[in-house]
Amino acid sequence: MASGARRPVLPATPEQNEEMRPVVDEMNRLAFAADLALFERSQREIEGVWADGQRYSRGSIQVTLPELREFFEEYIALVNRYKRADGELPEGARNVLTRFLTFPAPADDPTDDTMNGGPS
């Protein structure tokens, strides 16, 4: 996809009909699997100064749904702040893939982010 091009935004879950929801869920699952494969490939192939460029954070936050939407919009604004046209790249810059995933913890899941010291 060309720099600056936007992917189509899918309807929010409540706006999806019964036929659309499993299709969107599968598209998201496949996209996440592809992203994970890229991450694993990067782990195997990255070297030199960029070996320290692979970052991972795991954590949890306690928010309302409106707060989560605001958090997401702030994340998008942060990512957009670092987007540059090809002709504006500083020396030494390279394309870095960013991914952000949120999902409500299942009610019966005891997962605790303290095993990694919280968000990092």
Side-chain angles (χ1 to χ4, degrees), residues 37-54:
L38 279 172
F39 182 81
E40 291 169 347
R41 180 178 163 198
S42 177
Q43 284 180 309
R44 289 189 308 273
E45 296 177 5
I46 198 163
E47 53 188 44
V49 67
W50 279 94
D52 193 37
Q54 193 172 49

Side-chain angles (χ1 to χ4, degrees), residues 82-119:
Y82 288 91
K83 286 186 177 181
R84 299 178 174 118
D86 288 339
E88 299 173 6
L89 296 179
E91 187 172 329
R94 71 183 277 184
N95 191 41
V96 174
L97 302 176
T98 61
R99 303 296 185 259
F100 180 73
L101 172 69
T102 67
F103 54 96
D108 62 347
D109 185 354
T111 301
D112 183 347
D113 71 325
T114 58
M115 68 184 205
N116 284 0

